[in-house]
Every structure is written in structure tokens, then in C-alpha cells.
Amino acid sequence: SQKIEQNSEALNIQEGKTATLTCNYTNYSPAYLQWYRQDPGRGPVFLLLIRENEKEKRKERLKVTFDTTLKQSLFHITASQPADSATYLCAPSGGYQKVTFGTGTKLQVIP
Amino acid sequence: GAVVSQHPSWVICKSGTSVKIECRSLDFQATTMFWYRQFPKQSLMLMATSNEGSKATYEQGVEKDKFLINHASLTLSTLTVTSAHPEDSSFYICSALNTGGESGANVLTFGAGSRLTVL
């Protein structure tokens, strides 16, 4: 069956450092992979999308990589700030309508 | 950008009553909407896919008679929790598929969620 795994339940990082979050998937062949941010008690917000033919994508302090051989995406936040504290969700998608999310990684940036 | 409005944001009801949650796409047409359920500290669980003008497609294990979904227009989908019980208490979130999003990919725009508490 299809499975999406994100690293650890929580990731604590010092302000100013780079946070790296991992998304591994099995039994998927996604055309692209999406990353969302969710704050407590709110709906997720779309951040970035990377296509299967793209190795890397950047948006301001965010960087996403996509390795279809490893079936893995890495999500980096450089120069992290306390305001980046949230839960980050990955979603392999494309080729089919429904979007299924990983378990999410809770990021806490410590001042 | 694309906005999805969901309300009510929270509702408390008595056991046995029905509750309706509305999800509207404000500035785009959404032929497809999704309803998710989220338990504390857990990820989003897809309940059903709602297509305008047709019956919703429910995920395995989701009772279609308990969770009625109606997608009567290109901008409105509703979820009705019928005969609610305490175990239905949860955070329900809708999302609309925005095919006009980034490079034509199927990006989701989410509502703010509805917290349902059944007493």
C-alpha cells in the first residue's frame, strides 16, 4: 500500500540555522511533490511544488529537492526564524486527483 | 490568490443532532473539493472527494450516510455530519483543487477548518 513518512515527530532547531525535513514515500510514482505548512488550529497552506523532472526548487529561504530514485524529498529552511515554527506536510501527487499527506514534521525554532 | 472560506470555524452540538459545514471557493471555480478530518497531533485523513454535480467518492472506512457531502455549485461544497456522536468530534478541513495554480499542477487551497465538538 502507499505510504508517506516524514522524519521524527518534532524537530527543534536554533534560530539562524538551516532546518532540513525529510519526506519518504513508497508505492507512489508522483509527477510532483508538494509541501504545505500548517499552524495549530488552521488549515494547511501551500508552500512549494517540485516536479519529477526537477532536482531542486527554491523560493526565498525555502529549498526543496526531489529524488525519484530514492523516493525522497528534502525540505530546507535556511536562516530559520521563530515564525517558521509550524508543522510541515509533504504530499506526493499528480496523475490522480486526490492528495494524500504525510504525517507531518513539527518544527520548533528556538530563539 | 485563491481563497477558500469555511464555516463555521467551530461548533458545539448535542449528540444526535446534525451539523452542516460549508466550504466556498471565493475567487475561483472548484470542480473538485476534498474533505479531510484531523485528530489532535495527527495528519490529515482524506474522507472524500467531492465533484461538482456528481456524487462524492468516499475513502475506505468513511460512512457515506454519516458524512453527507453535497457539491451543488462550482464554488460550494457542504459536509453534513448526521446524527453526530462524541466520537465524531474532530477538526474538519475542506480544500479546493485549484488547477489554475502553479504551472497547472493540482495545488490545494484549504479552508481554515471547523472544530466540531459533540456533547
Side-chain angles (χ1 to χ4, degrees):
Chain A
S1 61
Q2 294 177 327
K3 203 172 180 182
I4 308 166
E5 290 183 331
Q6 295 188 241
N7 66 322
S8 65
E9 290 188 358
L11 179 65
N12 295 324
I13 192 162
Q14 205 69 36
E15 181 177 6
K17 301 291 185 183
T18 297
T20 298
L21 286 65
T22 304
C23 175
N24 294 295
Y25 58 91
T26 53
N27 296 321
Y28 273 99
S29 294
Y32 44 85
L33 196 140
Q34 305 184 44
W35 283 89
Y36 290 77
R37 167 185 172 141
Q38 185 177 24
D39 291 285
R42 306 290 293 175
V45 174
F46 171 75
L47 294 175
L48 269 178
L49 176 152
I50 185 166
R51 296 183 179 275
E52 60 180 342
N53 61 350
E54 296 175 314
K55 289 262 192 279
E56 182 180 295
K57 195 102 172 255
R58 292 174 185 262
K59 181 181 178 181
E60 298 173 353
R61 294 185 295 112
L62 308 180
K63 185 180 87 171
V64 173
T65 62
F66 192 10
D67 189 324
T68 55
T69 302
L70 291 178
K71 294 186 181 295
Q72 181 182 78
S73 175
L74 298 179
F75 179 81
H76 307 272
I77 305 176
T78 58
S80 58
Q81 304 167 359
D84 296 326
S85 299
T87 296
Y88 292 86
L89 305 164
C90 72
S93 50
Y96 28 79
Q97 278 194 333
K98 66 181 183 181
V99 180
T100 307
F101 288 85
T103 49
T105 297
K106 185 176 180 179
L107 173 67
Q108 186 74 36
V109 180
I110 303 162
Chain B
V3 177
V4 170
S5 173
Q6 182 176 346
H7 72 91
S9 55
W10 59 269
V11 56
I12 301 172
C13 69
K14 291 183 179 179
S15 187
T17 59
S18 294
V19 174
K20 181 186 281 188
I21 301 169
E22 290 190 350
C23 181
R24 293 181 185 270
S25 57
L26 296 186
D27 49 3
F28 66 101
Q29 293 184 332
T31 55
T32 302
M33 291 186 175
F34 300 96
W35 287 94
Y36 292 84
R37 182 175 182 175
Q38 188 173 36
F39 293 103
K41 298 185 180 180
Q42 293 189 26
S43 190
L44 302 160
M45 183 191 81
L46 180 64
M47 298 174 67
T49 302
S50 167
N51 290 299
E52 186 266 336
S54 63
K55 288 184 179 179
T57 303
Y58 290 82
E59 293 300 300
Q60 193 172 9
V62 178
E63 299 175 61
K64 61 180 180 181
D65 295 329
K66 157 70 81 174
F67 300 100
L68 299 178
I69 291 172
N70 184 276
H71 195 157
S73 77
L74 288 172
T75 58
L76 174 64
S77 177
T78 60
L79 167 68
T80 301
V81 183
T82 62
S83 187
H85 291 285
E87 58 265 29
D88 298 324
S89 299
S90 190
F91 190 53
Y92 294 89
I93 315 175
C94 73
S95 66
L97 196 60
N98 186 1
T99 55
E102 186 174 314
S103 303
N106 292 343
V107 172
L108 295 182
T109 301
F110 283 86
S114 300
R115 171 83 52 199
L116 170 64
T117 302
V118 185
L119 302 176

